[in-house]
Amino acid sequence: MEEALLQQAALMLRDARRIVVFTGAGISAESGVPTFRDDLTGLWARFDAHQLATPEAFHADPDLVWGWYEWRRARVRRAQPNAGHLAIAAIEAQVPDCTLVTQNVDDLHERAGSRLAIHLHGSLFAPRCVAAAAHPATFPAPPDGEAGEPPEGRRIPPPRCSSCAALVRPGVVWFGEGLPEAALSAAVDAASACDVLLTVGTSGVVYPAAEIPRIAARSGATVIQINPQRTPLDEVCAVNLRGTSAQVLPALVAATWGPNGEG
Ligand code: BV8
């Protein structure tokens, strides 16, 4: 990553009063949490994540899909936030008007100290009843696999809701499902009003989430991207920092606010 581009991005961040940080699966990659681009393994190897993350897949084989989410949830519980997550918490500490919007369903932003992450696609930690989104699913905690992690590739029957005995499903947004309205409108409002939007670790191909950086650009904000690869969002970015988030974000915070982010 070029030093000159980093300094350019730092200047933009330093002058910004209202910042949006928009993250995708890439920011959790250095915590050992696979991204959606990574090939699935084990029992799920014959699937693409986009096929499994659907109501149809859950309806067709609930044990297979619930097993995948339990394996992912256990994987996240074992993971630690990385320097990229921590750098975002440092930005929030520096800039009072900073809104974090994430496509991720893990809790690594919260565990890194981010106060309020807007989860556009739900959470691995909020399972709910298929029958009535109105009542939170209450059910006995699923049996942990050996050493707290179900072995990879295990089919696990989803629990039954204690209130109505319907199946419990992952509390995530599947392909073909609408995003939580409150989360989406909060993200759109923040993107429409910010000076700078920092997009980190997203392929920018899943809609309507991928519209968020474009809304910011159309509203006159400066968009900065951190990703080792090119993405469709390159075209709306003022600066593209080619690198991993755990490396680039801490460097960007230091270049903007000093080595300890003290401002
Ligand atoms: C909707 C939760 C309408 C689940 C996710 C046909 C039928 C139905 C819908 C559609 C269709 N065709 C298109 C659509 C729309 C569809 C869509 O956009 N599809 C895409 C694939 C074309 N969208 C939807 O279906 C949405 N809903 O349209 O509903 C509707 C409206 C109202 C009422 C009813 C219906 C719902 C989309 C949400 C799906 N759920 N997640 C789960 O997690 O299991 S999306 C899921 O994939 C993730 O959450 C994430 O958002 C997305 C993957 O994107 P990324 O986060 O960017 O991750 P990815 O792996 O792709 O990329 C990683 C990036 O990181 C890469 O660029 C890589 O270079 C980079 N990277 C890697 N390492 C690092 C790094 N960067 C930095 N540092 C590193 N170390």
Side-chain angles (χ1 to χ4, degrees):
M1 177 202 45
E2 277 176 55
E3 183 58 25
L5 284 180
L6 187 75
Q7 293 307 328
Q8 195 185 347
L11 267 180
M12 293 164 171
L13 267 186
R14 201 173 301 132
D15 294 346
R17 282 182 316 101
R18 310 179 83 167
I19 293 178
V20 169
V21 181
F22 177 70
T23 63
I27 193 161
S28 298
E30 284 156 289
S31 295
V33 178
T35 73
F36 261 66
R37 294 311 79 207
D38 295 336
D39 292 338
L40 296 187
T41 52
L43 182 70
W44 308 294
R46 65 186 191 281
F47 296 103
D48 170 288
H50 295 85
Q51 292 168 307
L52 276 187
T54 63
E56 295 76 17
F58 183 72
H59 180 70
D61 192 341
D63 299 8
L64 176 91
V65 173
W66 182 259
W68 182 48
Y69 279 91
E70 282 303 279
W71 177 73
R72 289 173 62 193
R73 187 155 72 135
R75 188 77 180 260
V76 165
R77 276 202 306 238
R78 213 162 41 106
Q80 293 305 321
N82 63 58
H85 295 105
L86 295 168
I88 290 174
I91 294 174
E92 290 171 325
Q94 284 295 337
V95 183
D97 191 337
C98 178
T99 305
L100 173 57
V101 179
T102 187
Q103 301 171 87
N104 298 341
V105 294
D106 64 48
D107 62 348
L108 295 176
H109 281 305
E110 289 81 357
R111 286 165 55 196
S114 288
R115 292 179 314 282
L116 177 69
I118 296 174
H119 282 266
L120 293 179
H121 295 154
S123 167
L124 286 171
F125 299 92
R128 59 183 172 81
C129 172
V130 293
H135 61 263
T138 46
F139 57 92
D144 268 352
E146 292 68 37
E149 174 160 344
E152 192 164 337
R154 202 171 84 180
R155 304 165 68 89
I156 303 175
R160 291 272 171 186
C161 172
S162 324
S163 314
C164 70
L167 280 182
V168 170
R169 57 160 283 178
V172 300
V173 178
W174 278 327
F175 287 98
E177 294 185 324
L179 276 58
E181 276 169 31
L184 185 56
S185 63
V188 169
D189 291 350
S192 308
C194 68
D195 306 316
V196 168
L197 182 138
L198 189 54
T199 174
V200 185
T202 182
S203 54
V205 296
V206 175
Y207 282 85
E211 198 59 32
I212 296 299
R214 297 176 183 278
I215 290 170
R218 282 199 297 272
S219 308
T222 300
V223 182
I224 299 167
Q225 179 168 230
I226 295 174
N227 195 317
Q229 314 279 338
R230 290 184 59 80
T231 77
L233 293 173
D234 280 45
E235 66 195 21
V236 298
C237 292
V239 178
N240 282 294
L241 302 173
R242 290 273 179 265
T244 73
S245 44
Q247 282 158 15
V248 174
L249 272 169
L252 180 58
V253 168
T256 308
W257 292 291
N260 303 315
E262 72 277 357

